[in-house]
Amino acid sequence: MTTSDITPVILCGGSGTRLWPVSRKSFPKQFIDLIGEGSLFQQSSKRLSGKGFAAPLVVTNSDFRFIATQQLHDAGITPGAVLIEPQARNTAPALLAAAVLMAQSNPAALMLAAPSDHYITQADAFCDSIRRGVPAATEGQIVTFGIKPDRPETGYGYLELGDGTANGALPLKRFVEKPQLAEAERMLADGGYLWNAGIFMYTAQTLIDAFAEHAPDMLAHVKAAVDKAVPDLGFLRLDPEEWTKCEDISVDFAIMEKVSNLSVVAHEGDWSDLGGWNAVHQHADRDADGVALQGGAHAVECKDTLLRSESGAVQLVGLGLDNIVAVAMQDAVLVADRRRTSTLGDVVKQMRAASVFQADNFPKDHRPWGFFETLILSESFQVKRIVVNPGAALSLQSHKHRSEHWIVVVGTAKVTVGETKDSLNVQMVHENESVYIPLGAIHRMENPGDTPMELIEVQTGDYLGEDDIIRYEDVYARGQGAKG
C-alpha cells in the first residue's frame, strides 16, 4: 500500500492566546505568516498534499471557513470537503465527524489527523515517517507520531514506549502528562520516551470502532450531526442540535488513552507546535547573540531576544535587552521576559475580564470578500480602510444607526443604493470620487475589476458596532449578524 490512500484531516478551528498579540480569537496563529513561507495552515496543507495524498478534509468553524478556503486556494490546494463545526467541541468530535463522513464512501480509507499550526521544516523526512506507519494503520492500529526529544521539555506531553516492534511501529505503554523539569530530565536520559505530537493515522472504520467501544454516546450524536448536515456553498454544515450534545473533550482523553490498538512511529526530524514566543525565537533566524528580528525591528546591544513588528508604520527598536520578547502591532504591544511568556494566556483572560477589545479582536477584520481595518474609532464616528477582492461583492444591506461616506482610492467600485429594494440605483464610482449612503438606505459595493479595490469609509451615527447590519442578499450565504 502507498500513501496515495491517505486523506489528511486538517483541524483549523481553534483559537490560541499564547502568541498574543499576533494570534487572537478573531484570527488565530494557524492563519498567520508567523515563520517560514506562508501561514502555518498553508505550510501544513502543502506538506500533506501532492503525490501520496488525497485532497485534504478540513474541519473549521463558521468564522474561519472563508479564510481557510482562500488560503488553500492561494496555496494551490483544492480541499475534498470542508466541515463546519456549529461550535467548538475539541478534537474528539471533530475527528470523528471526518471519519464518519469518509466511511460513507470508504470505511477502509486511511486518514491522517494533523493540527494546522505545527512547524516542520523537513517535509520529506516527515512524510517518510508517515509512510512507516501505513502498514500498522492498514492492519487496524491507531498510529500516533512521536518526536524524539532533544531537550528536557516541560511544555509537551510524552509517550512512553513499550518493548518490541510490529509493522514498522512501536507499541505504546502509556501517555505522560506535561512533566516537571526533573521528570523531563529523567525521561530524556532514559531514552524510552517521545514528545506527543498529537498526530494520528488510522482507517475511518478503526476510529469509529474505537468510539463505539469507549464513547458510544458521542458516536451517536456525531453520526446524527453528519447525517443531518446541510450543504452551504462549498461547505458542509454539521447539524447544530446534535453537535451541541457532544462532550467537549480531546481525542486523547476520549479515545487514545483507552484503546489497546495504539502504536507509535518515532519522527526524528525538526518539529515544533510553536506553542509560545520562546518556540518562535528558537526556530527563527538568530544572529551570534541569539537575537531574532522580524519585520521592522532593530536591535542594539541585545542578547537572546526576539523583536517583531507587524506594522510597516511601527519601527521597533530594542536597546540593551536580554532574554526579552517584544512584539509591536498597530493596536497592541507585548514586552515580556521570555521566561514568563508561557503564562500569556492568563494575561489575555484578564484583559477579557476587563472587556479589552484587543484581547480577542484585530483592527483588521477578514471577510469572504476581502478585509477592512479600523483607522480611527470614536463614540460618534469611525474611519475604515476597506479592500474588496476582484469580482467580490459585499451583501446587499442596510443599517439602523449609521450613515456612510465612501471615497474610492484605488480601482473602481460598483455601488448600489436606494431607499427600498424597488428603488435601487447602480453607479460606478472611480478613484478620487465618493458616494454618500444615508441612514437606513439599502446598499452594496462590488469590485468589477481584476485587481483589488480600496476605499475609505467614514461612518457617523449613535452606534457603530458590526452587528448593525440587516442583510437582504448575500452571495456568500451568510445569515444576519456581524459576520453571518
Side-chain angles (χ1 to χ4, degrees):
M1 174 169 284
T2 69
T3 53
S4 60
D5 302 300
I6 297 177
T7 296
V9 182
I10 302 178
L11 306 178
C12 60
S15 57
T17 58
R18 290 181 293 174
L19 287 171
W20 188 91
V22 170
S23 173
R24 307 185 201 179
K25 184 178 180 180
S26 65
F27 199 75
K29 73 171 183 176
Q30 61 263 30
F31 299 119
I32 297 168
D33 294 349
L34 191 64
I35 189 170
E37 295 184 6
S39 71
L40 295 176
F41 172 61
Q42 289 173 314
Q43 292 178 40
S44 297
S45 302
K46 287 182 178 180
R47 192 163 52 242
L48 303 176
S49 67
K51 184 179 179 180
F53 295 97
L57 197 161
V58 176
V59 184
T60 187
N61 63 44
S62 185
D63 286 349
F64 301 151
R65 66 193 190 279
F66 293 109
I67 296 172
T69 53
Q70 182 63 51
Q71 289 202 354
L72 286 174
H73 176 271
D74 293 343
I77 297 171
T78 301
V82 180
L83 291 179
I84 306 300
E85 299 177 281
Q87 62 180 197
R89 308 303 287 170
N90 217 313
T91 57
L95 293 178
L96 179 57
V100 169
L101 180 66
M102 182 63 66
Q104 291 177 350
S105 57
N106 183 10
L110 275 177
M111 308 182 74
L112 181 77
S116 60
D117 57 357
H118 289 182
Y119 181 63
I120 298 173
T121 58
Q122 300 160 316
D124 290 342
F126 179 71
C127 291
D128 287 341
S129 296
I130 293 173
R131 293 185 184 97
R132 294 206 310 273
V134 168
T138 303
E139 295 190 3
Q141 291 287 299
I142 297 176
V143 179
T144 185
F145 295 85
I147 310 300
K148 186 175 181 179
D150 58 7
R151 62 186 184 277
E153 176 62 57
T154 61
Y156 300 146
Y158 284 71
L159 307 170
E160 183 178 0
L161 303 177
D163 297 325
T165 182
N167 293 323
L170 304 167
L172 175 67
K173 185 174 182 180
R174 68 183 178 107
F175 287 84
V176 180
E177 295 299 319
K178 296 177 182 178
Q180 298 294 320
L181 180 59
E183 179 66 5
E185 291 174 339
R186 185 195 68 77
M187 289 189 290
L188 179 64
D190 180 277
Y193 296 82
L194 302 173
W195 290 333
N196 181 7
I199 303 170
F200 301 94
M201 184 163 59
Y202 42 78
T203 68
Q205 192 61 53
T206 296
L207 190 71
I208 292 171
D209 291 344
F211 275 89
E213 180 177 357
H214 299 288
D217 290 343
M218 181 178 293
L219 177 59
H221 294 313
V222 169
K223 278 187 172 181
V226 173
D227 290 341
K228 299 177 183 178
V230 177
D232 178 1
L233 298 178
F235 312 105
L236 187 64
R237 287 184 176 271
L238 298 167
D239 180 71
E241 182 177 353
E242 293 291 343
W243 193 255
T244 55
K245 297 176 183 177
C246 295
E247 183 180 1
D248 186 344
I249 188 172
S250 72
V251 73
D252 289 47
F253 289 134
I255 296 299
M256 300 306 174
E257 295 186 2
K258 301 174 182 178
V259 297
S260 58
N261 58 329
L262 194 63
S263 299
V264 183
V265 169
H267 174 63
E268 299 188 11
D270 187 34
W271 171 90
S272 174
D273 70 348
L274 290 186
W277 286 114
N278 265 337
V280 175
H281 175 263
Q282 177 186 348
H283 290 275
D285 292 332
R286 303 186 301 274
D287 65 16
D289 295 316
V291 175
L293 302 177
Q294 298 174 326
H298 314 271
V300 180
E301 297 178 3
C302 295
K303 183 179 179 181
D304 297 329
T305 288
L306 171 65
L307 302 176
R308 179 185 180 107
S309 176
E310 287 287 311
S311 172
V314 177
Q315 294 295 305
L316 176 62
V317 178
L319 173 60
L321 302 179
D322 188 355
N323 210 44
I324 294 294
V325 169
V327 182
M329 300 192 68
Q330 176 184 339
D331 65 331
V333 176
L334 168 70
V335 181
D337 186 321
R338 281 182 49 220
R339 294 166 294 188
R340 301 289 303 277
T341 54
S342 61
T343 63
L344 194 52
D346 295 332
V347 177
V348 175
K349 290 179 181 179
Q350 293 178 23
M351 289 192 292
R352 285 175 182 162
S355 300
V356 176
F357 179 84
Q358 288 89 340
D360 291 316
N361 301 287
F362 283 102
K364 177 184 287 188
D365 199 328
H366 293 263
R367 298 298 170 95
W369 44 260
F371 69 87
F372 68 81
E373 57 182 330
T374 299
L375 305 179
I376 301 174
L377 177 61
S378 74
E379 292 186 0
S380 60
F381 75 92
Q382 180 173 201
V383 180
K384 291 181 177 179
R385 171 180 172 244
I386 299 177
V387 177
V388 184
N389 295 329
L394 280 68
S395 61
L396 186 67
Q397 59 184 254
S398 66
H399 310 294
K400 292 183 178 181
H401 298 280
R402 69 175 185 257
S403 60
E404 297 173 342
H405 191 177
W406 298 341
I407 305 98
V408 178
V409 293
V410 176
T412 298
K414 181 180 178 182
V415 176
T416 301
V417 62
E419 293 184 3
T420 67
K421 290 188 69 174
D422 296 328
S423 64
L424 296 176
N425 295 310
V426 179
Q427 58 183 299
M428 305 301 289
V429 183
H430 304 281
E431 289 184 13
N432 298 322
E433 296 180 347
S434 64
V435 62
Y436 176 66
I437 311 298
L439 177 68
I442 298 175
H443 59 280
R444 172 166 51 203
M445 76 171 77
E446 305 173 55
N447 179 4
D450 54 9
T451 59
M453 181 266 291
E454 298 187 32
L455 58 84
I456 301 298
E457 177 183 80
V458 180
Q459 302 177 353
T460 57
D462 57 16
Y463 178 71
L464 304 173
E466 286 302 311
D467 55 347
D468 179 23
I469 295 177
I470 302 173
R471 289 191 177 92
Y472 303 94
E473 298 175 4
D474 183 35
V475 296
Y476 305 105
R478 294 170 294 174
Q480 301 299 330
K483 293 188 177 181

